[in-house]
Amino acid sequence: MRKGFFFAFEGIDGCGKSTQIAEIAGKLQNDVIPYHITREPGGTVIGEKIRSILLSPENNEMSIHCELLLYLASRAQHVQEKILPALQRGEIVVCDRFQDATFAYQGYGRAVPLDTLRNLNAFATGDLAPDCTFIFDLPVQEASARLKQTGKAPDRLEGNSGEFYEKIRKGYLDLAARDPDRYAVFSGMEPVHLLAGRVYEKIMQIMNTNDTLSREG
């Protein structure tokens, strides 16, 4: 039985989601709430090996189908080995990307039909979905500038065109508009600490609401 809560942080590369995850981890720790921070692709020994294949610029010849199946393979292992056990222990799981990255990147970005992606993803995850997906929206030019400021060489995904990332940004916003109860969209332009406070408030609201419903049920 699932006792914990599952939150995914999403957005185009450079949107600031990793910074927000670090902020939220600090708040959970201060409030002595058990949590598990993880990422995709990765999160397990097997997943991290798949991540290195997916993100290496040496693999630019990778086909769309190969890319998709590698992401799903990493996710399948991740769910079974790390995410479900943490949820069963009653922990708060915060994941840097999950299923909506597939819908946005491979769906809107690579033009793979969303119905196909949803079916394959359901098989990989056993229908596990986040309680809420937080989307940090940021203009593509601003995200690109932030990535350049890091001085890090772009990985295989980051090396894609601005047009590709415009499609992904639109994809995230479309997904959120279609199912507003399962998404929370925030501007990645907000000051880090202010934004983290708003995100944490939303997380606490979701947890408290579900606890109340559980007791009433």
Side-chain angles (χ1 to χ4, degrees), residues 47-102:
E48 291 297 328
K49 291 178 180 178
I50 294 173
R51 180 185 181 90
S52 67
I53 295 171
L54 279 164
L55 300 186
S56 173
E58 297 179 357
N59 297 327
N60 281 327
E61 73 280 6
M62 184 181 298
S63 73
I64 293 172
H65 296 85
C66 178
E67 176 184 86
L68 169 61
L69 293 173
L70 284 173
Y71 275 114
L72 292 172
S74 174
R75 184 167 303 143
Q77 184 67 24
H78 195 194
V79 166
Q80 292 298 318
E81 184 179 337
K82 297 293 184 179
I83 296 177
L84 280 179
L87 292 173
Q88 289 162 356
R89 291 192 300 267
E91 297 175 8
I92 306 305
V93 175
V94 180
C95 192
D96 188 337
R97 301 200 184 283
F98 195 65
Q99 63 185 22
D100 293 294
T102 297

Side-chain angles (χ1 to χ4, degrees), residues 14 22 30 42 51 82 85 92 159 170 177 182 192:
N30 288 339
R51 180 185 181 90
K82 297 293 184 179
I92 306 305
K170 178 181 183 299
R182 206 182 66 74
V192 169

Side-chain angles (χ1 to χ4, degrees), residues 3 14 32 103 116 137-138 152-154 158 164 171 175 177 190 200 215:
K3 300 176 183 178
V32 197
F103 303 152
T116 298
D137 183 49
L138 196 69
K152 181 175 71 72
E158 293 168 349
F164 177 72
L175 290 166
E190 290 189 42
Y200 194 62
R215 286 195 296 270

Side-chain angles (χ1 to χ4, degrees), residues 82-215:
K82 297 293 184 179
I83 296 177
L84 280 179
L87 292 173
Q88 289 162 356
R89 291 192 300 267
E91 297 175 8
I92 306 305
V93 175
V94 180
C95 192
D96 188 337
R97 301 200 184 283
F98 195 65
Q99 63 185 22
D100 293 294
T102 297
F103 303 152
Y105 278 74
Q106 280 69 52
Y108 287 84
R110 304 291 198 205
V112 179
L114 286 176
D115 285 345
T116 298
L117 294 178
R118 290 190 177 101
N119 289 334
L120 290 171
N121 182 75
F123 174 75
T125 64
D127 289 318
L128 176 68
D131 292 289
C132 183
T133 295
F134 291 86
I135 296 174
F136 300 95
D137 183 49
L138 196 69
V140 172
Q141 286 187 334
E142 174 65 22
S144 178
R146 289 184 182 184
L147 288 173
K148 288 178 181 177
Q149 288 174 0
T150 66
K152 181 175 71 72
D155 62 33
R156 190 180 65 87
L157 269 295
E158 293 168 349
N160 279 282
S161 67
E163 180 182 1
F164 177 72
Y165 279 99
E166 291 289 358
K167 292 178 182 178
I168 294 166
R169 183 190 183 194
K170 178 181 183 299
Y172 276 124
L173 295 177
D174 282 354
L175 290 166
R178 293 182 184 186
D179 191 2
D181 290 338
R182 206 182 66 74
Y183 295 86
V185 180
F186 293 91
S187 170
M189 296 295 288
E190 290 189 42
V192 169
H193 297 303
L194 176 62
L195 179 54
R198 294 182 61 208
V199 171
Y200 194 62
E201 182 180 2
K202 179 67 174 177
I203 288 174
M204 292 298 106
Q205 177 189 348
I206 292 169
M207 291 170 59
N208 291 333
T209 298
N210 279 273
D211 282 345
T212 300
L213 291 174
S214 177
R215 286 195 296 270

Side-chain angles (χ1 to χ4, degrees), residues 10 13 18-19 23 81 97 101 122 156 159 180 217:
E10 297 276 2
D13 295 290
S18 299
T19 299
E23 291 282 324
E81 184 179 337
R97 301 200 184 283
R156 190 180 65 87

